[in-house]
Amino acid sequence: MTATAPITQDVMTLPRKLPEGGPLNIVGLTREELMAALLAAGTPERQARMRMGQVWQWVYHWGVRDFAQMTNLAKDYRALLAEHFAIVLPEVVTRQISADGTRKYLIRIAGGHEVETVYIPEEGRGTLCVSSQVGCTLTCSFCHTGTQKLVRNLTAGEIVGQLMLVRDDLGEWPERGAPKDETRLVSNLVLMGMGEPLYNFENVRNAMKVVMDGEGLSLSRRRITLSTSGVVPEIARTAEEIGCQLAISFHATTDEVRDILVPINKRWNIRTLLDSLRDYPRLSNSERITFEYVMLDGINDSDADARRLVKLISGIPSKINLIPFNEWPGAPYRRSTPERIAAFADIIYKAGYASPIRTPRGEDIMAACGQLKSATERARKSRAQIAAETGL
């Protein structure tokens, strides 16, 4: 049983189809990059730090898209900004709203490519699931996104822009002159959409610097979770340079099964991955690591799997999110029964680990975990084709 899909990043699949020339889009620039750009455009050096802070607040705190509205800047300086810069977000192509309130956005980025972003409202919180790549190289056999070839990495601005356009749609920007409202409709952000975030490390890191900045979008690093399939060389770097919460797309307790479900396991196997995780909470000052485990009928859901899982993660501060498999057309798997999932969860819980069972959200609009795939790329393969490709 061998998977034939690529398990490492193929840089030849990343054409940079970005516009050349014209005004520089400032969305996604870090503070340092924005200040350098303002200096290059002619901002006097003694004013650059102050001007950068003012522009930053207008764009990321107030959500302003027009330099003319930045009223604490002189008119001639606003004209200079408009000449050299732009404030541009990805374009919303379609918005679907599930019966449970989940919102799925198909958004178009530079080059005409499309990705999906999902907003999940819950009592007391709202979670935004953002994409980091157009498509994915990892071809995890249970994941619909993995059946779409990787096209390119998203820029930092395209990642930040997903949060900004959802705040637009929810009407969440503060109103100037109104009493301060501490309610956050988007209170949590998860890098669990299309793509492997750690194969786009620099853009993801810079985007999170913007998102976590306290004078703008202001999401705490404890409210941000990055999900990786296990790109081991980048895990310590994530702790040191981003410091957010970490989730591992784990899904199996033996290398034989994980090689098929998560083919990157052939490059960095379970032991190598777990060894790289033991220092993460200390390095990032995070509380614990989340292990994501999709429940597949007859594949990885036995009592023996549950006991192996507990033994494997011993010594790692962690919780296990059990995810009922979300089916998609042609999927080669079935969801474990509720009784099997409950029995699996009970073994983990009795071993002393939190084992919440994730309630599927947005299934009616194909917005649930593992279902994302941009509409223009939804070529339907037969169940037999997909099974053959994954070696099942």
Side-chain angles (χ1 to χ4, degrees):
M1 296 193 301
T2 57
T4 57
I7 58 172
T8 56
Q9 186 81 321
D10 176 3
V11 295
M12 300 304 292
T13 64
L14 297 174
R16 302 296 296 177
K17 296 181 180 177
L18 299 176
E20 296 180 2
L24 173 67
N25 184 16
I26 63 175
V27 174
L29 298 183
T30 64
R31 282 182 174 269
E32 296 77 15
E33 290 170 337
L34 178 56
M35 191 155 85
L38 293 177
L39 285 167
T43 304
E45 194 164 343
R46 67 184 182 279
Q47 297 179 12
R49 187 167 297 279
M50 178 181 70
R51 296 294 180 231
M52 181 270 294
Q54 290 171 317
V55 171
W56 187 276
Q57 188 176 50
W58 281 113
V59 173
Y60 295 121
H61 177 74
W62 298 111
V64 164
R65 306 289 152 73
D66 183 352
F67 295 109
Q69 294 180 29
M70 300 182 179
T71 50
N72 60 349
L73 300 175
K75 275 190 175 180
D76 60 344
Y77 190 69
R78 283 181 261 166
L80 179 143
L81 291 174
E83 180 184 351
H84 290 90
F85 303 107
I87 306 167
V88 180
L89 303 187
E91 171 196 354
V92 177
V93 180
T94 60
R95 181 192 68 171
Q96 295 172 273
I97 302 180
S98 166
D100 63 24
T102 298
R103 298 184 181 208
K104 183 173 76 168
Y105 306 83
L106 178 67
I107 65 171
R108 185 171 293 133
I109 58 174
H113 306 303
E114 294 172 349
V115 295
E116 292 182 330
T117 304
V118 176
Y119 172 67
I120 306 165
E122 299 172 85
E123 189 172 347
R125 60 188 267 166
T127 300
L128 184 67
C129 180
V130 303
S131 295
S132 57
Q133 296 181 309
V134 186
C136 189
T137 55
L138 295 181
T139 61
C140 298
S141 58
F142 59 87
C143 179
H144 197 204
T145 312
T147 66
Q148 175 181 333
K149 291 184 185 300
L150 180 71
V151 178
R152 72 166 172 85
N153 287 333
L154 268 62
T155 65
E158 290 163 346
I159 296 168
V160 174
Q162 293 173 67
L163 171 57
M164 295 175 72
L165 65 83
V166 172
R167 292 192 72 179
D168 285 354
D169 187 49
L170 297 173
E172 198 184 4
W173 298 104
E175 188 177 334
R176 291 193 290 282
K180 191 172 182 180
D181 184 358
E182 297 291 349
T183 305
R184 297 298 294 266
L185 297 176
V186 180
S187 61
N188 295 66
L189 185 147
V190 295
L191 288 148
M192 295 183 185
M194 297 168 64
E196 166 54 69
L198 296 190
Y199 273 155
N200 187 15
F201 185 88
E202 285 80 8
N203 286 322
V204 167
R205 178 200 59 206
N206 290 351
M208 292 307 102
K209 281 185 179 180
V210 174
V211 168
M212 293 188 286
D213 190 285
E215 295 180 18
L217 295 167
S218 192
L219 281 183
S220 157
R221 61 184 180 78
R222 290 187 180 276
R223 298 274 188 168
I224 297 171
T225 301
L226 183 151
S227 176
T228 177
S229 299
V231 185
V232 165
E234 304 291 3
I235 286 175
R237 195 177 172 202
T238 302
E240 293 160 357
E241 297 184 32
I242 304 176
C244 60
Q245 307 300 301
L246 188 70
I248 302 298
S249 193
F250 201 61
H251 310 307
T253 61
T254 67
D255 286 325
E256 180 186 19
V257 175
R258 197 166 190 265
D259 282 352
I260 296 171
L261 296 182
V262 189
I264 198 175
N265 194 70
K266 292 179 170 186
R267 180 75 181 272
W268 297 290
N269 66 13
I270 289 175
R271 170 176 273 189
T272 305
L273 172 59
L274 293 176
D275 285 347
S276 75
L277 296 176
R278 298 191 186 278
D279 281 338
Y280 190 90
R282 178 182 60 80
L283 292 172
S284 66
N285 197 28
S286 65
E287 296 169 0
R288 55 189 175 176
I289 289 170
T290 298
F291 287 89
E292 298 166 317
Y293 198 95
V294 65
M295 300 298 295
L296 303 170
D297 183 38
I299 302 291
N300 63 354
D301 62 350
S302 69
D303 287 355
D305 280 306
R307 287 191 285 269
R308 267 196 303 269
L309 180 57
V310 167
K311 189 173 181 181
L312 283 169
I313 66 173
S314 177
I316 301 175
S318 53
K319 73 171 183 177
I320 296 93
N321 266 357
L322 300 179
I323 307 169
F325 175 59
N326 298 306
E327 296 197 17
W328 39 271
Y333 303 108
R334 294 186 307 274
R335 177 183 294 182
S336 302
T337 65
E339 296 76 19
R340 182 87 298 270
I341 296 174
F344 194 100
D346 190 54
I347 292 171
I348 294 168
Y349 177 74
K350 285 177 177 172
Y353 293 93
S355 55
I357 299 169
R358 186 181 297 174
T359 303
R361 299 290 300 272
E363 285 186 290
D364 54 330
I365 56 170
M366 289 285 285
C369 182
Q371 289 184 323
L372 300 189
K373 187 172 183 183
S374 60
T376 54
E377 302 284 350
R378 274 192 217 283
R380 301 301 192 195
K381 297 181 182 179
S382 72
R383 187 178 297 268
Q385 280 179 296
I386 293 169
E389 288 177 11
T390 55
L392 293 170

